[in-house]
Amino acid sequence: MDREKLMKMAGAVRTGGKGSVRRKKKAVHKTTTTDDKRLQSTLKRIGVNSIPAIEEVNIFKDDVVIQFINPKVQASIAANTWVVSGSPQTKKLQDILPGIINQLGPDNLDNLRLLAEQFKKRAPGMPVQEPIPEEDDDDEVPNLVEGETFEAAAAEEAKS
């Protein structure tokens, strides 16, 4: 081996200039594959199973929706663990609203009402309608007054 070449190689391992100490050990750069392997082994330990044929996953957070298109979904019902992996997109709820109305649950219907109120406020030319109060009395059968029957009440309504 050439002496000059050897000196260049020796100079490449120094941390500073001439006369400085050499590095004690080589810097090891970890890759993300070790993290992925660790995650996969943990998931295998809790017993997740892959769920095929899921086209879309939407995660609702306040007025923001995290949307996964064609994700890989794994679940462990016993451990109450769901794993959704893929490329996420963050969108506003009103942007994807027409396509996800059938996916909304009862907890998100309140958010839907709030969005409807915001749209009413944004459209100044449109007349604002007051929300119709819901009455709980509609579920119950009304009590009859003593001496009256349903037939008599229906006949009275028919006369008027």
Side-chain angles (χ1 to χ4, degrees), residues 23-30:
R23 281 185 289 185
K24 299 292 182 193
K25 65 177 186 175
K26 186 177 178 181
V28 178
H29 299 288
K30 289 187 176 181

Side-chain angles (χ1 to χ4, degrees), residues 49-60:
N49 296 322
S50 183
I51 301 175
I54 293 184
E55 298 174 2
E56 178 180 339
V57 173
N58 294 320
I59 300 173
F60 298 96

